[in-house]
Amino acid sequence: MKILIDINHPAHVHYFRNFYKIMTQKNHEILFVSRNKEIEHNLLQLYNIPYINRGKGQNGKIGKFLYLLYADLKIWQIAQKFKPDVFLNFLHPYPSQVAKFMNKTTLVFSDSEHAKLHHKLTVPYATKIFTPSCYTIDLGQKQHRFKSYMELAYLHPNYYKPDPSILDILGVAPEEKFVIVRFVSWAAAHDFGHNGMTLENKRKAVKELSKHARVFISSEGELPEDLESLRIKIPFHKMHDALYYCSLLFGESGTMASEAAVLGTPAIFVNSNRLGYIDEQGEKYGLASYFTESPQDQEKAIERGLEIIQDTGGKAKYSQLRDKLLEDCIDTTEFMVNEVLKYETSKN
């Protein structure tokens, strides 16, 4: 069976890299097509996954519309040569639109309720949409829910083992507490109209947390000089190890908050884009805390962060909560493999 996987974000590489390994071992032919805006290509090269470049994408509403036309044409040209049986991607429109035009199966994964534009441009063309069971939106008959999270496609113990050498890279002692603070660029389509935390509160969060732990900042964009000195400097593929060993993830990224949670690290998510998986990881497992962008909530988020970092028994407690989460969730990659293989049977 031939499968075309389109990558639109670095996280998508992680979602599908173990699927690629398993399916190629089963002698299926897989072609990756990837945007090159952040570190997508670096990740694909790291995991020895061949790919075709489809450009960097554009910012702004007009730029994104023009890129939609370009990406559809590019993927259609690639698909004409490769002739895939199945298109596979995480929620974005290009591969599903092309697959529909070619009358091919297109399977889409999504966990982002707030990506309304991508829903409008993708769902009508998809064969099936797979979402976590905690997804708060009903997408209709095409939607199929699974009991897990996207992050467990690569951070499930079946695939991920933490590397303690990250502590030496960071210069952190084994028992020393450290915090990762994450700021996003707010340039994605689903982020239009959002600005994130104020610079004043970013500085306040860093200052207050620094009183109790080392602080490292991960940021998609530029930082003021006083915060730039705290930017985390590690190999790009070591972030999950840093999340595993840190005492708290504080920031604006839902994906990183969920990554921390499934690794047993408490996460604080500050963002007006509410996510079902963050709510579940917080309400059911006590591994995540959600706050809006309002000034009052930003203050509450900082207070909550200080409570967590000063909890002397925190790491062991959150490790136990992670065990409960893993007991309740399936292996997302295994689920992907089983769902795609259904179409091999259909093809035969």
Side-chain angles (χ1 to χ4, degrees):
M1 183 164 54
K2 290 186 174 183
I3 305 161
L4 189 151
I5 300 177
D6 191 73
I7 301 296
N8 203 49
H9 185 276
H12 303 174
V13 179
H14 293 302
Y15 296 161
F16 298 114
R17 60 182 169 87
N18 290 308
F19 172 88
Y20 168 80
K21 182 177 180 180
I22 292 170
M23 292 297 281
T24 53
Q25 288 173 348
K26 294 177 179 290
N27 296 319
H28 296 282
E29 190 174 351
I30 299 178
L31 176 64
F32 277 74
V33 179
S34 176
R35 187 176 75 162
N36 183 29
K37 187 177 182 182
E38 298 176 48
I39 60 169
E40 296 90 347
H41 290 187
N42 291 338
L43 285 168
L44 288 164
Q45 291 164 13
L46 175 69
Y47 298 114
N48 296 314
I49 299 174
Y51 62 90
I52 295 175
N53 180 11
R54 65 164 167 82
K56 290 189 175 183
Q58 297 289 334
N59 291 324
K61 293 182 180 180
I62 296 176
K64 288 184 180 296
F65 173 73
L66 294 175
Y67 187 75
L68 169 69
L69 301 178
Y70 163 80
D72 277 2
L73 177 60
K74 181 74 172 180
I75 294 172
W76 179 80
Q77 291 172 336
I78 293 168
Q80 286 295 304
K81 296 179 180 179
F82 182 60
K83 301 188 184 304
D85 302 297
V86 173
F87 288 71
L88 181 63
N89 77 97
F90 186 85
L91 185 71
H92 61 281
Y94 325 126
S96 295
Q97 291 178 355
V98 172
K100 184 71 172 179
F101 180 76
M102 296 178 65
N103 196 29
K104 296 291 184 179
T105 297
T106 170
L107 305 179
V108 178
F109 282 79
S110 175
D111 63 2
S112 305
E113 291 95 339
H114 57 282
K116 296 179 181 179
L117 179 60
H118 279 186
H119 282 125
K120 291 179 180 178
L121 295 174
T122 305
V123 173
Y125 305 98
T127 305
K128 289 183 179 179
I129 306 282
F130 299 102
T131 68
S133 56
C134 57
Y135 203 72
T136 59
I137 296 176
D138 182 356
L139 297 176
Q141 294 182 342
K142 293 180 179 181
Q143 184 178 14
H144 300 264
R145 298 175 183 267
F146 62 96
K147 181 55 183 169
S148 194
Y149 308 110
M150 292 305 302
E151 292 72 27
L152 287 178
Y154 54 101
L155 294 178
H156 193 283
N158 289 344
Y159 312 105
Y160 175 75
K161 298 293 185 288
D163 181 2
S165 69
I166 188 63
L167 300 178
D168 293 330
I169 296 172
L170 289 170
V172 173
E175 300 303 320
E176 184 179 2
K177 289 185 177 182
F178 69 98
V179 175
I180 296 176
V181 176
R182 171 65 170 176
F183 301 132
V184 302
S185 67
W186 302 97
H190 55 252
D191 290 329
F192 289 147
H194 298 281
N195 298 307
M197 293 184 69
T198 64
L199 180 56
E200 179 185 1
N201 278 331
K202 288 179 180 180
R203 285 193 167 110
K204 182 177 180 180
V206 170
K207 178 181 177 181
E208 294 302 316
L209 291 169
S210 294
K211 294 177 182 178
H212 306 280
R214 291 272 300 278
V215 173
F216 299 94
I217 299 176
S218 168
S219 177
E220 290 180 336
E222 295 182 1
L223 292 167
E225 187 176 348
D226 57 314
L227 297 182
E228 183 64 39
S229 62
L230 297 175
R231 187 185 289 270
I232 193 167
K233 297 179 177 65
I234 58 175
F236 65 91
H237 62 290
K238 289 291 185 180
M239 183 58 75
H240 299 138
D241 297 323
L243 286 175
Y244 180 88
Y245 286 103
C246 77
S247 300
L248 172 68
L249 182 282
F250 182 102
E252 302 167 324
S253 167
T255 296
M256 283 190 69
S258 185
E259 287 175 335
V262 303
L263 289 172
T265 296
I268 290 177
F269 177 49
V270 184
N271 194 313
S272 289
N273 290 325
R274 193 150 196 168
L275 297 165
Y277 59 86
I278 296 293
D279 286 346
E280 182 174 88
Q281 290 165 356
E283 295 166 7
K284 189 172 183 178
Y285 301 107
L287 285 161
S289 301
Y290 168 74
F291 299 91
T292 71
E293 297 170 23
S294 72
Q296 297 85 353
D297 258 20
Q298 290 183 35
E299 294 281 348
K300 290 178 182 178
I302 295 170
E303 291 174 6
R304 177 60 181 149
L306 292 172
E307 289 176 5
I308 292 172
I309 204 64
Q310 294 178 81
D311 184 352
T312 55
K315 200 63 180 176
K317 176 177 71 176
Y318 291 112
S319 180
Q320 291 177 351
L321 294 173
R322 181 208 185 202
D323 291 341
K324 178 64 170 68
L325 180 150
L326 292 174
E327 287 176 7
D328 291 346
C329 292
I330 64 171
D331 176 337
T332 302
T333 291
E334 183 179 21
F335 174 79
M336 283 184 191
V337 169
N338 291 336
E339 287 299 318
V340 172
L341 285 177
K342 290 178 182 179
Y343 292 90
E344 180 187 33
T345 304
S346 174
K347 179 172 179 265
N348 291 337

